Amino acid sequence: MKKVISAVALAVSAFASTSALAANEVNVYSYRQVYLIEPMLKEFEKDTGIKVNTIFADKGLVDRVKQEGELSPADVLLTVDIARVMEIVKAGLAQKVESKTLEKNIPAQFRDSNGDWFGLTKRARVIYSSKDRVGKLPAGFDYLDLAKPEYKGKVCVRSGKNSYNVSLFAAMIEHYGEEKTKSFLEGLKANLAQKPQGGDRDQIKAIKEGICDYALGNSYYYGKMLDDEKQRANAEGAVINFPDGQFGTHVNISAVAVAKHSPNRANAVKLIEYLSGDKAQKLYAELNHEYPVKETAKASEMVRGWGSFSADAIKLEDIAKNYEKALKLVDEVKFDDVK
Ligand SMILES: [Fe+2]
């Protein structure tokens, strides 16, 4: 009990000390690294005069909000994918928002039909191939192809339990059923060049290093690496390919929810509406190389240069409902258990 109280006191005082008199504020808890969202938050502050306080936590964010309970200062919860925003909703930590602006800015596919969560940006889960050893993959190449015996020892992927992968597998369950998804996972595991490890960027790097010829990863990492002098050479070893099988390319979102006990609810809604608006969507696109959710906002020039692709049209809610099943399959095939 003591531990809970001190955690709450700490969080409340952390905000109180930075904003002793300011009532016009909004508190953001973020799974996303703050540097990725800071430019948008700064613009919001400038345009609205509402001060934004941020706390970044890549783990334990849900537990923290739970522990803080009704005293939680959290207004806005930002996550990096559909799985984690669902975790927040299932734990009863979000509240419903009704907003014409959000309905207009965000296509129904990328928000909850109850208004519990909203997608802010899209990311494609793509297949990277070695520029020198493979080149661009032929049209129609699909995730399923990576499980074919001819690619034995040639594929790299991060942990099967990572939420980006689990979301993809959950989408595959929706399209192909559990049995076919399980044999895909067995085939993919059999083709791995090394034990699943690292993040998406590490898979692109592994291609450069000759460890593997094919890898799974999110689209924006490629853009971020090409923008970064130190990582550019690694990215340049790979070509980006949009899987194009039965359901096209799997798309995930970064998402947002208003916290159940949000003390600054009106400002929380204002912030989310702002992030779905033209100015913030453009910044997301330009700085992070994500795809904007707002249909009239354009992807960055670099991202547009990767070409168009056919995105899975499935509702993200339907992916989220298969999440536990997908995780179970990953366990059953002992996906990460590679020597
Ligand atoms: Fe990411």
Side-chain angles (χ1 to χ4, degrees):
M1 194 59 201
K2 255 183 191 156
K3 209 175 162 196
V4 175
I5 290 168
S6 64
V8 172
L10 246 173
V12 173
S13 68
F15 279 130
S17 63
T18 55
S19 54
L21 294 169
N24 200 18
E25 61 186 5
V26 62
N27 302 322
V28 175
Y29 281 24
S30 177
Y31 270 115
R32 298 209 76 179
Q33 292 177 15
V34 169
Y35 82 95
L36 289 173
I37 49 170
E38 203 141 56
M40 285 63 95
L41 300 179
K42 285 261 172 304
E43 282 301 302
F44 174 75
E45 286 187 325
K46 231 169 51 193
D47 287 352
T48 63
I50 298 168
K51 184 174 181 331
V52 184
N53 309 305
T54 45
I55 283 188
F56 165 68
D58 67 342
K59 288 194 183 84
L61 194 137
V62 167
D63 285 340
R64 179 170 183 162
V65 180
K66 242 189 239 170
Q67 284 192 349
E68 289 170 352
E70 289 182 23
L71 290 177
S72 176
D75 294 305
V76 171
L77 307 170
L78 277 174
T79 79
V80 290
D81 73 344
I82 181 65
R84 280 190 242 199
V85 80
M86 289 308 294
E87 194 189 350
I88 287 168
V89 171
K90 275 195 202 142
L93 302 175
Q95 61 168 293
K96 187 177 155 74
V97 171
E98 266 183 73
S99 155
K100 288 272 170 271
T101 305
L102 291 175
E103 282 173 26
K104 191 171 101 253
N105 287 348
I106 306 169
Q109 186 190 359
F110 301 111
R111 57 181 156 82
D112 178 41
S113 46
N114 292 319
D116 277 335
W117 55 264
F118 299 88
L120 290 176
T121 59
K122 300 184 282 183
R123 51 276 300 281
R125 195 134 186 87
V126 301
I127 299 173
Y128 294 103
S129 54
S130 161
K131 188 186 268 174
D132 300 333
R133 299 183 300 278
V134 178
K136 189 89 183 154
L137 296 174
F141 198 95
D142 185 34
Y143 301 104
L144 289 178
D145 290 314
L146 292 178
K148 288 181 177 166
E150 63 200 89
Y151 301 111
K152 194 165 177 61
K154 291 186 172 171
V155 185
C156 282
V157 64
R158 75 195 298 176
S159 167
K161 290 180 183 167
N162 174 266
S163 58
Y164 297 156
N165 281 333
V166 181
S167 295
L168 166 64
F169 307 151
M172 293 177 88
I173 289 175
E174 190 65 14
H175 291 288
Y176 298 138
E178 275 183 68
E179 211 172 302
K180 192 166 169 185
T181 304
K182 187 175 178 181
S183 33
F184 163 74
L185 287 174
E186 284 165 342
L188 182 62
K189 180 189 173 190
N191 286 349
L192 293 179
Q194 61 179 2
K195 186 177 167 61
Q197 56 193 272
D200 283 355
R201 291 176 198 243
D202 296 307
Q203 316 311 314
I204 297 173
K205 188 165 169 241
I207 290 180
K208 173 73 181 178
E209 289 166 346
I211 296 168
C212 41
D213 289 345
Y214 305 84
L216 273 176
N218 282 353
S219 51
Y220 54 89
Y221 288 116
Y222 190 55
K224 298 292 274 183
M225 288 172 79
L226 288 170
D227 270 352
D228 179 345
E229 228 174 273
K230 289 196 193 106
Q231 298 185 61
R232 189 174 302 142
N234 286 331
E236 282 172 349
V239 181
I240 187 167
N241 305 275
F242 295 96
D244 194 18
Q246 187 179 308
F247 63 86
T249 298
H250 169 64
V251 170
N252 207 330
I253 48 167
S254 73
V256 68
V258 172
K260 171 93 175 166
H261 302 293
S262 163
N264 306 292
R265 188 182 191 278
N267 286 350
V269 174
K270 256 187 219 166
L271 175 59
I272 298 176
E273 288 177 344
Y274 188 88
L275 293 176
S276 73
D278 285 317
K279 201 175 194 179
Q281 288 286 299
K282 186 164 187 254
L283 281 172
Y284 271 123
E286 296 298 329
L287 300 174
N288 293 348
H289 297 305
E290 294 177 271
Y291 293 91
V293 280
K294 192 167 193 280
E295 276 161 351
T296 51
K298 265 201 240 164
S300 72
E301 197 184 341
M302 182 203 286
V303 171
R304 291 202 306 276
W306 299 341
S308 60
F309 64 95
S310 93
D312 190 358
I314 198 173
K315 276 191 84 128
L316 290 192
E317 289 176 307
D318 290 330
I319 295 179
K321 75 175 195 310
N322 292 335
Y323 198 83
E324 296 303 320
K325 275 186 212 159
L327 207 48
K328 203 175 123 239
L329 291 186
V330 170
D331 272 337
E332 276 174 22
V333 307
K334 298 190 171 68
F335 190 83
D336 289 355
D337 201 357
V338 174
K339 281 185 194 121

